[in-house]
Amino acid sequence: MRYTELAERFGTPLFVYDLDEIEAARRELFEALPEGFELFYALKANPHAGVAEAMRQGDGRACRAEISSTGELRTALAAGFAAEECLYTGPGKTPAELDDAIRLGVRVFSTDSETDVRHVGAAALAQGVAADCLLRINSATASATTSIRMTGTPSQFGFDSETLADVLPALRAVEGVRIAGMHFFPLSNAKDEDSLVREFQHTIELAAGLSESLDIPVRFLDIGGGFAVPYAAPGDRARYPKLRGELEASLDVHFPDWRWGNPRLACESGRFLVGGSGTLLSRVSNIKVSRGRKFVILDAGINTFGGMSGLGRLLPVAVRPDGQEVMESASLVGPLCTPGDILGREIGLPALAPGDLVTIPNAGAYGPTASLLMFLGRPAPVEVVVRGDEIVSASRIEHHRSYPM
């Protein structure tokens, strides 16, 4: 179905998610990884129920769910994921959240500190079960010097690799948990395949070294992600023709029994799997010139997309509409009454006029739920899921205030 028809039917701002693109991305990533690798879908990238359900389906190549809240857990369960197959992550898991997660059937947790492990153990004991803990490792060193670093610096995430030996006796003494392996997430949105390969090689070598030197059992090893796709700009998903062979060679050296499932191995991805599936449709509300600078004002702003710019990792460098010739330089801004409502500053744009439909590609990750949805009380954008010309679903997030007693 054409975007103009969808915009007329549902209005703008409007997100369109293409299930065929989601399935293609999932297939490409599984094919780029060694046989037997498991793949977690990070629901934070896009927790839409229809998107999550598409991740769960597949001929032997279905994703598992990586969640960081009980809200994401409920979305995963509604999409058909089994709770025992979910990986619960995050450095600030509260006792109440853990009680809820374990009651619903979650049994695998990525843990970031001694306190985190103790909280998991207490919740598991209270319900008479045992939980598996992966120790998330914050490596003292890193390979790649580009992309978004998630390791090698002081962080709330993970056990510092150089001091892990000091806390291991206490971790082993925690009742209700089993130390099942390690979890790494060293970088996000790797700049190129070589950077990603080097980081994974470093991770595998470090995991094997820690396992041997500290006698840490590694039944399960999650080496993280970093798979790249453009964000709100034209372009294709990254390709990884060398990745499978390089990973196999590294694993043969450091975990020689990996081909027989010892350890189980996993990667995780959010934006790569869904980024290319999404298109944001927005209309031009106004054109303004101020002191020689042109502003193109859309009906979609940071309440719709890119609202987490304060994190320094989600706001696109420059949102660029798709499919039209660049004619001028202007700032692409939203409708909100804040100077921070900027989607692209002094970027190349086609000649636009009020009422024109703007199509922003690669907007399937970190969209509505990573935006300032409630700011100014504007309605959330409609999200439409399509397969070819078929509309699978159309929905809008609603928020309301409740008054607990």
Side-chain angles (χ1 to χ4, degrees), residues 30-215:
F30 267 112
E31 289 174 352
L33 295 170
E35 194 71 28
F37 257 73
E38 300 175 37
L39 183 59
F40 286 98
Y41 170 58
L43 263 75
K44 63 177 71 68
N46 188 332
H48 189 287
V51 171
E53 185 175 1
M55 291 300 169
R56 182 185 56 80
Q57 300 169 343
D59 298 331
R61 292 186 168 185
C63 293
R64 296 173 62 181
E66 186 264 307
I67 55 175
S68 296
S69 71
T70 51
E72 287 187 343
L73 170 58
R74 284 174 167 78
T75 296
L77 295 178
F81 287 97
E84 62 269 20
E85 289 296 300
C86 293
L87 172 63
Y88 202 121
T89 68
K93 299 180 282 290
T94 68
E97 290 169 348
L98 289 168
D99 286 340
D100 200 15
I102 289 175
R103 178 179 57 79
L104 290 171
V106 178
R107 293 294 181 268
V108 186
F109 297 85
S110 173
T111 52
D112 297 83
S113 65
E114 181 182 339
T115 302
D116 201 15
V117 174
R118 291 188 182 279
H119 284 168
V120 174
L125 279 176
Q127 298 190 41
V129 300
D132 285 335
C133 284
L134 304 181
L135 305 182
R136 178 163 173 171
I137 305 299
N138 179 7
S139 172
T141 59
S143 173
T145 57
T146 59
S147 310
I148 300 161
R149 300 288 339 142
M150 298 287 285
T151 192
T153 61
S155 174
Q156 70 268 45
F157 298 110
F159 294 86
D160 294 341
S161 59
E162 67 273 25
T163 61
L164 182 58
D166 298 334
V167 298
L168 267 178
L171 299 181
R172 289 185 169 118
V174 176
E175 296 183 37
V177 301
R178 298 178 293 249
I179 305 302
M182 286 179 262
H183 176 205
F184 294 78
F185 198 91
L187 82 169
S188 179
N189 211 33
K191 181 180 179 181
D192 52 52
E193 183 177 29
D194 287 341
S195 296
L196 186 66
V197 165
R198 286 195 300 271
E199 199 64 64
F200 281 154
Q201 289 170 333
H202 174 74
T203 292
I204 291 167
E205 181 179 3
L206 175 61
L210 290 173
S211 175
E212 181 177 0
S213 63
L214 302 180
D215 192 26

Side-chain angles (χ1 to χ4, degrees), residues 182-302:
M182 286 179 262
H183 176 205
F184 294 78
F185 198 91
L187 82 169
S188 179
N189 211 33
K191 181 180 179 181
D192 52 52
E193 183 177 29
D194 287 341
S195 296
L196 186 66
V197 165
R198 286 195 300 271
E199 199 64 64
F200 281 154
Q201 289 170 333
H202 174 74
T203 292
I204 291 167
E205 181 179 3
L206 175 61
L210 290 173
S211 175
E212 181 177 0
S213 63
L214 302 180
D215 192 26
I216 301 174
V218 181
R219 291 186 285 113
F220 195 94
L221 176 62
D222 182 344
I223 63 174
F227 309 102
V229 67
Y231 186 50
D236 298 323
R237 289 184 295 273
R239 297 290 185 265
Y240 300 105
K242 299 183 294 184
L243 180 61
R244 176 188 282 237
E246 295 288 356
L247 284 179
E248 289 175 343
S250 183
L251 289 165
D252 283 340
V253 171
H254 298 290
F255 290 97
D257 292 333
W258 74 273
R259 295 177 188 270
W260 294 273
N262 182 30
R264 290 170 59 190
L265 296 161
C267 282
E268 57 196 84
S269 177
R271 80 173 74 211
F272 181 93
L273 291 170
V274 295
S277 74
T279 303
L280 171 59
L281 308 182
S282 179
R283 288 202 184 274
V284 178
S285 298
N286 196 7
I287 305 285
K288 181 187 176 186
V289 176
S290 174
R291 294 181 175 135
R293 290 179 55 195
K294 179 175 281 192
F295 294 85
V296 177
I297 304 171
L298 302 180
D299 59 8
I302 56 175

Side-chain angles (χ1 to χ4, degrees), residues 314-356:
L314 296 184
L315 184 71
V317 174
V319 166
R320 297 205 311 276
D322 199 6
Q324 292 175 285
E325 184 181 356
V326 171
M327 301 291 290
E328 61 185 6
S329 177
S331 290
L332 197 64
V333 304
L336 307 183
C337 57
T338 168
D341 192 12
I342 299 174
L343 297 178
R345 194 186 304 273
E346 292 294 308
I347 61 175
L349 291 173
L352 295 169
D356 284 351

